[in-house]
Structure formats: structure tokens, C-alpha cells
């Protein structure tokens, strides 16, 4: 009996199926864990602002800020693909694994960033869009292209970009830059070095192999732990400024003192070990993430009562540094009685 082979046509994935299969890789390029923290601080900045946005406008603002943060992550991975391939922590990113080509990543990042800025400008205001564009450019050009490979202070100066989301959120709601979000900017700015240097202590060999002059590589572990302790101590009084300036209540103040004291204690423990205790560095890094989430959640809780009772209470003023108005409104946010409730991917 003659056996006749019947050819079976090879199934081809549709373009939609191929896009769906690669979608997780493009999401990974956006550094979603970093995005979560940036978006959360932006939400807090938007929610505590004295001006109330329509929920749809507020959601649009947060979407634009999230897209902008994602675009910065994509462009960072595009430029750093060569050194990412040399480090264990980053070698599995989509570009080193050839899941996404550098050209695709560049096009995706530029399109996403431009769309985010345009959306914020057309739907909300130009000031917020300008801040978002500045944050993306600073992170990509100043930090990624220039500072990261040239100075041990890369994290300190580059932290400016990561500290801007609450300012952008506030400005999206008000159209102005004010003192209150600037204090939030300072908190994140001072928080960034202890957070990333704690991570880099246990990755110093990888950074050295990739030629990145992180502080532990250049100055050693003892100097790094000393700097971590200094920044942690400086952060404690700065984190109390929202209470001192009247736009946070006792809940926030108690949270800031408690979390700040724990952060300083962990930094002191790490410094006492001269950076040789890997677990101490891991504890500080892990707690630093929790610290920022808890601190900003407490700030949101301490202000959310004002948000829902704004029709019953006199509207508080905001000390603003306005680009569109020549005068400075008097007073700070009212310290009214408030009620009610509400990982880092690395560099």
C-alpha cells in the first residue's frame, strides 16, 4: 500500500498575535516598577493640590505622566544596552536578549515620550508638559548619556529627574509650580542616594565590570556608607517640612519621624559594618522603597479630608511660584483637621 504524505501548511502567526507575544517585552522596557513609584508620587502631588481636576482630566494627567516615565525607561534601556549585557541584574532585559531591536526601542521610546508630552500640553497645560519633557530629557540625556558613565555623583544629580513627578502632578492640576511640591521634590531628591547606593553596594563588582563609576566602585564601601548615613540624616528634618509649612497633619508628622528614624538606624547599622554586611545593605534598600510609599501615602491621607470637604471649608491658598501670574498668593495650605484613609527596577 502506497502511503501518500499530505503536506500540512505551516501556521503563521498573525501580526496581532506577534504583537501580543512581544507586548511583555515592550512593557519591560518601560521599567514598570519604577513607573509605579513615579506615578504614585505624581498622584499625591495632583491630589493635594488646591485646584480640583475633573476625574477624567486627572486620569489623563496621570496617564501622560506614566507614559512619560515609561518613555524615559525605554530610552534608558536603549542607550544602556551595551552595559546591560555585562551585568547580571540587567542582562535579561529585552534588548540584550534580542527580544527587541535597538531601533524598535528607540522608535518606541521617542513616540511614547512625544505623545505623553503632547497629551499633557493639549489636555492640561503647557507648564506641566514642559516639566514632563524636562524630566524625560534630564533622565535620558543628562543622567543616562552623560553622568552615569562619567561621575560617581551620577545618582545625586540624576535624582532630579526622579524627584519631579509630584511637581508635575501638582502643576497639571494648578498650572503653577508651588512651594509644596518643591518640598516633595526635596524629599525624593535626598532619598535617592541612600536608596541606590544601598543597591550598588552589593553590585559593585558588576558596576566595575561594566565601567560605571558608582560611588562604591570609585570611593569604596566605607565612604559610600558614610554618604548614605549623611543623606539619611538630612532627609529626616526635610521630611518634616510639610507639617511645619502647614500642608500636612499629625498623621504625616508621626509617620515621617518614625520612618525617618528607622531609615537613619538602618543607615547607621550599615555604616558601622563599613559596607561589609550585605544583609544590612539589602535591608536598607528594601526599607527605602517602603519608606517613600508610606510617607507619600500618609501625606495623601492627611490631605484627602480637605479634598472631600472643600465645599464646606474655606479654600486654602497655596504659596506658588507662578510662571503665568506675577503675584504670589498669600498663605499656605490650611492645616485643617483631616480624616479618612487611602520595586524598584534600578538604574
Amino acid at each position: 500500500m502506497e502511503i501518500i504524505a499530505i503536506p500540512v501548511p505551516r501556521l503563521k502567526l498573525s501580526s496581532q498575535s506577534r504583537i501580543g507575544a512581544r507586548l511583555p517585552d515592550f512593557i519591560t522596557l518601560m521599567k514598570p516598577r519604577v513607573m509605579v513609584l513615579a506615578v504614585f508620587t505624581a498622584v499625591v502631588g495632583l491630589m493635594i493640590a488646591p485646584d480640583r481636576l475633573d476625574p477624567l482630566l486627572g486620569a489623563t494627567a496621570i496617564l501622560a505622566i506614566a507614559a512619560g516615565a515609561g518613555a524615559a525607561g525605554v530610552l534608558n534601556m536603549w542607550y544602556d544596552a551595551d552595559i546591560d549585557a555585562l551585568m547580571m541584574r540587567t542582562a535579561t532585559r529585552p534588548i540584550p536578549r534580542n527580544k527587541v531591536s535597538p531601533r524598535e526601542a528607540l522608535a518606541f521610546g521617542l513616540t511614547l515620550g512625544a505623545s505623553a508630552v503632547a497629551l499633557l500640553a493639549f489636555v492640561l497645560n503647557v507648564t506641566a508638559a514642559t516639566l514632563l519633557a524636562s524630566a524625560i530629557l534630564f533622565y535620558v540625556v543628562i543622567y543616562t548619556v552623560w553622568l552615569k558613565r562619567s561621575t560617581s555623583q551620577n545618582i545625586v544629580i540624576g535624582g532630579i529627574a526622579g524627584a519631579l513627578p509630584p511637581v508635575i502632578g501638582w502643576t497639571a492640576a494648578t498650572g503653577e509650580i508651588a512651594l509644596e511640591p518643591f518640598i516633595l521634590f526635596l524629599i525624593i531628591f535626598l532619598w535617592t542616594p541612600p536608596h541606590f547606593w544601598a543597591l550598588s553596594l552589593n553590585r559593585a563588582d558588576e558596576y566595575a565590570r561594566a565601567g560605571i563609576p558608582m560611588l562604591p566602585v570609585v570611593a569604596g564601601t566605607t565612604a559610600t556608607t558614610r554618604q548614605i548615613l549623611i543623606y539619611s540624616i538630612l532627609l529626616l528634618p526635610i521630611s518634616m517640612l510639610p507639617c511645619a509649612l502647614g500642608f500636612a497633619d499629625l498623621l504625616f508628622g508621626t509617620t515621617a519621624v518614625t520612618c525617618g528614624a528607622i531609615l537613619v538606624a538602618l543607615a547607621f547599622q550599615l555604616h558601622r559594618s563599613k559596607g561589609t554586611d550585605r544583609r544590612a545593605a539589602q535591608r536598607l534598600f528594601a526599607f527605602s522603597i517602603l519608606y517613600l510609599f508610606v510617607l507619600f501615602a500618609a501625606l495623601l491621607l492627611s490631605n484627602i479630608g480637605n479634598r472631600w470637604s472643600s465645599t464646606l471649608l474655606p479654600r486654602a491658598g497655596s504659596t506658588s511660584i507662578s510662571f503665568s501670574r506675577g503675584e504670589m498668593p498669600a498663605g499656605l495650605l490650611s492645616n485643617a483637621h483631616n480624616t479618612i484613609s487611602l520595586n524598584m527596577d534600578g538604574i
Side-chain angles (χ1 to χ4, degrees):
M1 178 182 295
E2 184 179 358
I3 300 176
I4 301 174
I6 302 175
V8 178
R10 180 177 297 178
L11 296 176
K12 293 184 179 180
L13 291 174
S14 67
S15 59
Q16 290 182 341
S17 299
R18 289 196 299 269
I19 292 173
R22 302 182 66 200
L23 183 60
D25 294 316
F26 284 94
I27 293 176
T28 299
L29 283 176
M30 297 168 65
K31 296 189 175 181
R33 286 181 289 179
V34 175
M35 280 177 57
V36 169
L37 193 56
V39 170
F40 179 62
T41 58
V43 168
V44 174
L46 186 147
M47 290 290 289
I48 70 171
D51 293 347
R52 309 304 186 217
L53 279 182
D54 174 270
L56 181 59
L57 290 178
T60 302
I62 296 306
L63 175 63
I65 294 170
V74 173
L75 294 173
N76 170 268
M77 286 200 191
W78 163 74
Y79 189 82
D80 278 350
D82 58 333
I83 57 177
D84 281 350
L86 301 176
M87 300 177 63
M88 183 182 302
R89 182 175 60 87
T90 56
T92 58
R93 287 175 172 177
I95 301 177
R97 292 173 58 213
N98 295 318
K99 296 292 185 178
V100 178
S101 71
R103 180 177 296 181
E104 288 174 322
L106 178 60
F108 178 49
L110 292 176
T111 302
L112 191 62
S115 300
V117 172
L119 179 64
L120 204 55
F122 284 111
V123 178
L124 276 305
N125 60 77
V126 174
T127 305
T130 301
L131 285 173
L132 180 61
S134 299
I136 296 171
L137 289 173
F138 196 97
Y139 184 73
V140 175
V141 178
I142 304 299
Y143 169 68
T144 303
V145 176
W146 177 29
L147 296 173
K148 185 173 181 178
R149 307 188 190 211
S150 63
T151 174
S152 61
Q153 295 300 304
N154 47 21
I155 286 301
V156 178
I157 306 170
I160 292 174
L164 279 174
V167 185
I168 301 171
W170 176 288
T171 308
T174 66
E176 301 173 339
I177 300 175
L179 178 60
E180 293 91 337
F182 179 71
I183 298 303
L184 305 185
F185 169 91
L186 284 179
I187 290 173
I188 301 175
F189 180 76
L190 291 173
W191 165 88
T192 301
H195 171 72
F196 278 113
W197 282 336
L199 170 68
S200 66
L201 278 169
N202 289 338
R203 304 284 185 176
D205 292 343
E206 292 186 36
Y207 284 119
R209 183 166 61 251
I212 303 174
M214 292 295 289
L215 191 63
V217 176
V218 175
T221 57
T222 301
T224 301
T225 59
R226 181 168 56 249
Q227 289 297 310
I228 288 174
L229 180 59
I230 291 172
Y231 275 96
S232 299
I233 293 172
L234 289 174
L235 179 58
L236 183 55
I238 295 299
S239 69
M240 293 299 299
L241 285 178
C243 285
L245 295 174
F247 66 97
D249 64 6
L250 184 59
L251 169 66
F252 176 84
T254 302
T255 303
V257 170
T258 303
C259 292
I262 294 174
L263 188 69
V264 170
L266 291 174
F268 180 75
Q269 183 183 51
L270 178 61
H271 179 57
R272 190 171 55 183
S273 75
K274 301 185 185 298
T276 58
D277 188 347
R278 294 178 62 89
R279 288 177 299 178
Q282 290 170 351
R283 282 194 296 268
L284 178 58
F285 173 73
F287 180 76
S288 67
I289 301 173
L290 179 64
Y291 169 91
L292 204 62
F293 271 112
V294 170
L295 195 69
F296 274 73
L299 181 61
L300 185 58
L301 284 170
S302 71
N303 279 271
I304 203 167
N306 280 344
R307 185 169 185 82
W308 297 118
S309 60
S310 60
T311 58
L312 302 177
L313 297 176
R315 182 170 171 176
S318 169
T319 302
S320 62
I321 307 167
S322 174
F323 288 147
S324 58
R325 301 175 187 172
E327 59 184 11
M328 181 175 291
L332 295 169
L333 288 176
S334 170
N335 190 19
H337 295 291
N338 304 308
T339 58
I340 211 88
S341 69
L342 159 287
N343 174 342
M344 224 41 167
D345 190 31
I347 59 172

